[in-house]
Amino acid sequence: MKVGAVIITMGNRPDELRALLDSVAKQDGDPVQVVVVGNGSPVPDVPDGVKTVELPENLGIPGGRNVGIEAFGPGGRDVDILLFLDDDGLLAHTDTAELCRKAFAEDPALGIISFRIADPDTGVTQRRHVPRLRAADPMRSSRVTTFLGGANAVRTQVFAEVGGLPDEFFYAHEETDLAWRALDAGWMIDYRSDMVLYHPTTAPSRHAVYHRMVARNRVWLARRNLPALLVPVYLGVWLLLTLLRRPSGPALKAWFGGFKEGWSSPCGPRRPMKWRTVWRLTRLGRPPVI
């Protein structure tokens, strides 16, 4: 299986980007083809053989990654597997690409693999980086219902069948949108604890637009993908959870602004999942109401 990698960058972490590229180059087996997308910025110096694309404006995380996919041909068809890696991450082991090849070859229904993210100094995996409700044991691999955006591998056939990431989301929940569409098309998703991306421990709320976009995109996610009966249930549960977490006043104001925007603005095409997909998500441990 041919493996490619898509890395988007704002050009502000050249040392981390070079370290990541070095870790990709050290992967066992056939070389991994790499595309680095400068998302509204020039791409720092990269090694020979690494393809670069410089965008005149920041298209957001999903938009930038979609450009990277297309750099491997329509829907990424020039390769069989695409790795998506944060530019300040680092592949911890040299066998990750080979493990991906083996996993996809052995399981024809497997569409997406979510890697384990670990802090490079402590080795700790944050609970939020385990894409399931029962997240206490990050060392347990399992089937899951979503994946981590900056540390994953996708069979390119998935893009051919269900399309790419939702450009309009810009930031937050774009992975779950793709995951739900993939599951609805019959693909499965695995969380693999043995495929590790080192990444410094951070809080997602460091982004100024975090609370607004998380709320807006949550509404868009429901409007685009859920059966009509589940839309108010899903969003009602997340409204309650947000209030129980007792965010600060400014954060809550931004969240409600995004929630309102999610209802009043276009969210892209609506393709509600089948009820059998709802049941599949439930059997996998995460019914699409939370």
Side-chain angles (χ1 to χ4, degrees):
M1 285 187 163
K2 294 181 181 179
V3 180
V6 173
I7 301 164
I8 59 174
T9 183
M10 300 291 291
N12 56 351
R13 293 189 282 231
D15 294 339
E16 292 89 340
L17 174 62
R18 176 57 73 107
L20 171 62
L21 292 172
D22 289 345
S23 74
V24 174
K26 292 175 182 176
Q27 291 298 298
D28 302 333
D30 291 340
V32 176
Q33 303 172 47
V34 182
V35 169
V36 177
V37 178
N39 213 354
S41 69
V43 175
D45 290 338
V46 297
D48 292 341
V50 173
K51 184 176 180 179
T52 62
V53 180
E54 295 185 351
L55 302 176
E57 62 178 312
N58 183 355
L59 299 183
I61 293 173
R65 287 183 177 144
N66 282 336
V67 169
I69 293 169
E70 295 302 306
F72 288 96
R77 68 184 182 190
D78 293 346
V79 293
D80 304 295
I81 302 164
L82 276 176
L83 312 180
F84 294 87
L85 307 170
D86 277 351
D87 69 340
D88 56 344
L90 183 76
L91 289 174
H93 309 300
T94 62
D95 63 350
T96 302
E98 283 288 83
L99 288 173
C100 287
R101 290 185 181 100
K102 182 179 179 182
F104 285 119
E106 291 180 349
D107 187 354
L110 181 60
I112 301 171
I113 299 173
S114 188
F115 301 166
R116 180 167 64 89
I117 293 180
D119 185 271
D121 297 321
T122 66
V124 171
T125 296
Q126 292 178 275
R127 187 181 182 91
R128 69 184 181 89
H129 284 152
V130 183
R132 58 178 179 243
L133 292 179
R134 297 180 178 178
D137 182 8
M139 300 307 294
R140 178 173 67 87
S141 299
S142 69
R143 294 284 201 200
V144 289
T145 61
T146 188
F147 63 99
L148 307 174
N152 67 81
V154 182
R155 191 192 297 265
T156 53
Q157 191 178 344
V158 172
F159 298 127
E161 290 190 17
V162 306
L165 296 155
D167 287 340
E168 54 268 70
F169 278 42
F170 197 85
Y171 165 78
H173 301 319
E174 67 273 4
E175 304 93 348
T176 300
D177 186 88
L178 176 60
W180 282 0
R181 285 183 282 124
L183 287 162
D184 198 47
W187 295 101
M188 300 301 292
I189 306 170
D190 278 357
Y191 166 73
R192 289 284 297 265
S193 64
D194 57 337
M195 302 181 188
V196 182
L197 184 85
Y198 284 148
H199 189 282
T201 298
T202 56
S205 54
R206 69 190 186 281
H207 299 292
V209 296
Y210 171 77
H211 296 287
R212 179 178 69 85
M213 287 197 172
V214 160
R216 183 197 68 181
N217 292 0
R218 183 80 69 183
V219 177
W220 282 358
L221 181 68
R223 289 175 58 197
R224 286 164 59 97
N225 295 287
L226 289 181
L229 284 174
L230 295 185
V231 172
V233 179
Y234 177 81
L235 295 176
V237 167
W238 278 103
L239 173 60
L240 179 61
L241 286 173
T242 299
L243 294 174
L244 289 174
R245 290 168 177 167
R246 302 182 66 172
S248 67
L252 192 60
K253 181 179 179 181
W255 192 94
F256 273 110
F259 193 80
K260 179 180 178 182
E261 184 183 351
W263 287 105
S264 61
S265 56
C267 64
R270 173 168 165 77
R271 299 186 183 94
M273 66 178 65
K274 308 174 191 71
W275 281 103
R276 68 169 177 258
T277 305
V278 173
W279 176 237
R280 172 187 277 190
L281 287 161
T282 303
R283 286 190 292 112
L284 288 170
R286 190 156 196 163
V289 293
I290 189 170

